[in-house]
Amino acid sequence: MKLTSKWVLWFVLVTVYASIIGGLFYYNLFKFVFDKKLQNEMVEMVRFRAPTLVQWLASRPKGEATFREAEIMKGLQRNDDRIKSLVYLNYDGSIRWHENTKFLRMSYSDYNNSVGFDTNSVVQAIRDGLPRAILFGSGDYYDMAIPLLAKGNTVAGVVNVTVSRESAKKLIHSSMVRYAFGAFIMILLIGGVLYLFLLLKILRPLNALKDSVEAVSLNNLELSFPARRDEIGDVAAAIVSLLAKIRADIKSLENVEIMSLEKEQRWWKTILAVTVPKGSRALVIDENNNILYTNFELKVPGKERVHLLDIFDGRQQEIIQVVGEALENPTKVLRGTVINKNVKCLVKAVQLPDDAGKNRIVLVLEPEK
């Protein structure tokens, strides 16, 4: 897998993970904010009318609500469609107002047994003197109990409202849609900037370095790549250092080969001076038919290495045949004849035993008497 594909996969996985974590965080944040807003609005709506209600509760702590109180309760339920039901209770929990008059003056326990409160928020509100909101109905409603406090923070009565969360859920949904859209745009912007950085600062320099490395050959052990002060520049510098070591090793091997060849030539000079009769010409050739040494002066203009065919052209098939047979029959002396400078010569060729992978053929030309 290429670097671009790996980066795209990594970026997608990270962004998906971050989006999910961020989505959970913002969903709970929006839920808290909008639910709290809904609860505060209900509490403020009741507390705005609390002074009037507390006065009537003080004048008549028990019994049914007055006409004025009843109008206030009906107005609360009528003017806010989020309120699904409303019960107005005295400090002892008895029903002070209900839209169904048969429940008036009914005790808390009797009403709870016959109709049933959704939660125990009323009990908590009377006990603590603080508003209570408890979620029920699969999270669709809040059962809210808002205490009405008289002097000394004593509970004079309680307004119990069942509030729908539909408006809060709509706000949460619309906020999550805006969050998803904003997150998507942000991911595109960040991804585009990061990919542009990856392309300009990493991918293109790497491709240029690859092309420079591919251009290196034995004939040109030089890396053509501009200097950089980053990790890619460090890799390029390491390659340049490696090529320098290779050049030094090749130079060393060439020197060793030259010294070995000179040593071998001195060795052949000694051997041929002893074994080859005076007046005969001897040549030592390698497996490629390049001439390594002769006991006579040999120069071919324009060539550093002289090939056997540079001396004997293709018409002199006899000597070519003798050399070929010598290659096929190591250590066996093969004979033939050849015309060299209008002189008929006897040709002898023998391939010496392989010495460390070096095949050598000794060719001797003796003029016929």
Side-chain angles (χ1 to χ4, degrees):
M1 185 180 290
K2 289 192 174 183
L3 184 61
T4 305
S5 303
K6 289 182 179 180
W7 180 87
V8 170
L9 179 61
W10 172 84
F11 182 75
V12 168
L13 292 177
V14 170
T15 51
V16 168
Y17 174 77
S19 299
I20 292 174
I21 298 298
L24 292 174
F25 172 78
Y26 278 103
Y27 174 78
N28 286 283
L29 178 63
F30 293 149
K31 181 181 176 182
F32 173 79
V33 170
F34 293 125
D35 280 2
K36 204 67 178 176
K37 179 175 179 292
L38 174 64
Q39 296 170 23
N40 290 337
E41 287 177 353
M42 292 295 110
V43 171
E44 290 301 321
M45 184 173 62
V46 172
R47 283 181 175 173
F48 178 74
R49 297 164 176 82
T52 303
L53 296 174
V54 169
Q55 287 180 2
W56 290 108
L57 285 166
S59 62
R60 188 191 297 178
K62 296 183 179 181
E64 300 177 10
T66 63
F67 177 78
R68 179 63 178 155
E69 289 175 287
E71 285 300 316
I72 291 174
M73 295 299 118
K74 290 178 182 178
L76 289 175
Q77 193 168 12
R78 183 174 56 248
N79 296 331
D80 197 327
D81 57 1
R82 294 175 295 180
I83 298 176
K84 300 305 177 184
S85 66
L86 187 148
V87 181
Y88 182 27
L89 301 98
N90 295 310
Y91 72 94
D92 60 355
S94 60
I95 307 300
R96 190 176 181 86
W97 181 88
H98 194 285
E99 60 183 350
N100 191 340
T101 57
K102 72 176 184 178
F103 296 120
L104 297 178
R105 296 188 178 183
M106 185 178 287
S107 67
Y108 178 87
S109 58
D110 291 341
Y111 181 82
N112 197 32
N113 290 331
S114 60
V115 178
F117 286 96
D118 297 312
T119 68
N120 66 342
S121 62
V122 172
V123 175
Q124 295 182 28
I126 294 175
R127 183 189 64 202
D128 302 331
L130 298 172
R132 287 289 179 262
I134 300 177
L135 201 62
F136 75 98
S138 300
D140 294 329
Y141 298 94
Y142 271 114
D143 182 31
M144 294 189 64
I146 305 164
L148 301 170
L149 302 178
K151 292 182 179 180
N153 289 330
T154 58
V155 177
V158 177
V159 177
N160 179 228
V161 254
T162 301
V163 184
S164 172
R165 288 187 65 243
E166 184 178 357
S167 60
K169 290 169 73 174
K170 287 181 179 179
L171 288 172
I172 293 171
H173 179 265
S174 62
S175 298
M176 288 303 297
V177 169
R178 287 194 293 270
Y179 161 77
F181 180 75
F184 178 74
I185 296 299
M186 185 63 67
I187 288 170
L188 286 182
L189 292 175
I190 294 175
V193 171
L194 290 178
Y195 182 76
L196 189 63
F197 173 81
L198 179 70
L199 178 65
L200 297 178
K201 298 298 183 180
I202 298 177
L203 295 180
R204 285 187 179 176
L206 282 178
N207 286 330
L209 180 59
K210 178 179 75 71
D211 294 338
S212 299
V213 172
E214 289 178 348
V216 174
S217 64
L218 288 176
N219 295 327
N220 180 25
L221 289 173
E222 296 287 343
L223 184 69
S224 178
F225 188 78
R228 294 173 59 95
R229 294 184 178 180
D230 55 16
E231 288 77 3
I232 298 176
D234 294 341
V235 173
I239 295 174
V240 170
S241 177
L242 175 62
L243 293 176
K245 292 179 181 178
I246 292 174
R247 288 196 302 271
D249 290 343
I250 291 175
K251 185 67 175 178
S252 177
L253 289 175
E254 288 177 350
N255 292 335
V256 170
E257 185 177 355
I258 291 172
M259 292 177 64
S260 176
L261 182 59
E262 291 177 351
K263 183 178 179 180
E264 184 179 359
Q265 287 177 342
R266 289 196 300 269
W267 187 82
W268 283 116
K269 181 178 180 180
T270 304
I271 295 298
L272 295 180
V274 174
T275 57
V276 177
K278 189 176 181 180
S280 299
R281 295 192 171 190
L283 303 90
V284 180
I285 60 178
D286 61 14
E287 62 275 8
N288 297 319
N289 291 333
N290 292 317
I291 298 174
L292 300 178
Y293 178 76
T294 63
N295 64 349
F296 59 94
E297 187 177 355
L298 177 64
K299 288 185 179 180
V300 176
K303 289 191 176 182
E304 293 183 1
R305 284 199 171 188
V306 181
H307 195 271
L308 186 63
L309 293 179
D310 293 332
I311 304 175
F312 304 99
D313 57 27
R315 290 174 298 178
Q316 296 172 322
Q317 294 294 326
E318 182 70 21
I319 193 168
I320 303 301
Q321 182 178 354
V322 170
V323 172
E325 291 178 356
L327 286 171
E328 296 175 359
N329 300 278
T331 70
K332 185 177 181 180
V333 179
L334 283 304
R335 291 178 173 82
T337 58
V338 67
I339 303 296
N340 183 31
K341 295 183 178 181
N342 298 322
V343 178
K344 189 175 183 180
C345 299
L346 174 65
V347 179
K348 293 188 292 184
V350 61
Q351 180 181 347
L352 301 180
D354 185 9
D355 181 18
K358 296 180 179 180
N359 295 322
R360 300 292 185 259
I361 297 176
V362 178
L363 199 62
V364 180
L365 283 73
E366 297 180 354
E368 286 190 353
K369 299 179 180 177

